[in-house]
Amino acid sequence: MRLFKITACIPCPDKARSQRELQNTYFTKWVPYHSWFAEQQRIMKQGGRILKVELATGRRQQNCGN
């Protein structure tokens, strides 16, 4: 199974102390290859940025067929 390992940053107003302050939330997530586009759209819609994308597989050192 091919997966993307993405690192993204989303501004989160919930953790802020005042109205004008935003706290960025960084996270790393494994996303299946076939649902990559939907996940990308979800992050962009929330005003986030994708910082890093890596193509990965379920096991270490496995050929992913590129």
Side-chain angles (χ1 to χ4, degrees):
M1 180 174 177
R2 292 195 286 183
L3 298 169
F4 283 115
K5 180 181 175 186
I6 62 170
T7 304
C9 168
I10 295 178
C12 183
D14 301 341
K15 297 178 183 176
R17 285 173 255 150
S18 69
Q19 286 288 331
R20 287 181 279 166
E21 194 176 309
L22 284 178
Q23 176 121 9
N24 288 331
T25 303
Y26 292 88
F27 63 92
T28 300
K29 186 175 186 180
W30 295 83
V31 179
Y33 184 80
H34 61 272
S35 61
W36 159 246
F37 187 71
E39 185 65 28
Q40 180 185 15
Q41 293 297 312
R42 186 186 70 78
I43 292 170
M44 296 302 202
K45 221 178 247 185
Q46 291 179 353
R49 285 186 312 166
I50 297 173
L51 304 174
K52 186 163 88 171
V53 178
E54 298 175 35
L55 182 61
T57 60
R59 285 183 257 149
R60 288 183 126 192
Q61 308 247 336
Q62 181 179 354
N63 183 9
C64 29
N66 291 17

